[in-house]
Amino acid sequence: MPAVQVQFTIDDGARGAAIAELLLQDGLAACVQRVGPIRSRYRWEGAIEEAEEWLFLCKTTTDRLEALTRRVAEAHPYDTPEIIATEVVGGLDRYLIWVEQA
């Protein structure tokens, strides 16, 4: 089962940590890493905005991707949260097996 890294950003580190905990408790992610704070610049509703956010990197598998995406979207306060999945095309076999079995 291919591994996937899903990232989401959020403006509240504690709320992001709570989402990460949900993903781990629900068995939707093997690992979630928190990075930040970071500065995000983006276009929203015709204006360029800037915000302090935290980046969360979730390790999961393709078969859990849809449920993980849905869970983040449900728990996230943004109307249109960044939730992006990237297929992992390589890495340490032992680690990728662990992601699959976690």
Side-chain angles (χ1 to χ4, degrees):
M1 188 111 9
V4 178
Q5 178 170 277
V6 178
Q7 70 181 50
F8 71 90
T9 55
I10 192 166
D11 63 355
D12 181 332
R15 189 159 188 178
I19 294 172
E21 186 67 22
L22 288 174
L23 298 176
L24 293 166
Q25 296 231 353
D26 291 351
L28 298 175
C31 171
V32 181
Q33 298 163 314
R34 175 179 164 173
V35 181
I38 60 172
R39 296 298 301 172
S40 294
R41 289 186 56 79
Y42 52 92
R43 192 175 263 297
W44 181 252
E45 296 181 346
I48 295 176
E49 304 285 342
E50 184 169 342
E52 181 176 89
E53 295 184 300
W54 281 258
L55 173 65
F56 287 81
L57 304 171
C58 312
K59 310 312 187 286
T60 193
T61 57
T62 54
D63 68 328
R64 295 186 288 225
L65 175 58
E66 186 178 327
L68 184 146
T69 300
R70 186 173 47 252
R71 191 72 172 110
V72 172
E74 290 169 354
H76 204 290
Y78 295 3
D79 291 334
T80 307
E82 172 191 359
I83 305 171
I84 298 173
T86 305
E87 186 174 1
V88 175
V89 297
L92 182 67
D93 287 343
R94 291 189 309 270
Y95 181 80
L96 298 176
I97 290 168
W98 170 75
V99 169
E100 184 177 337
Q101 295 174 348

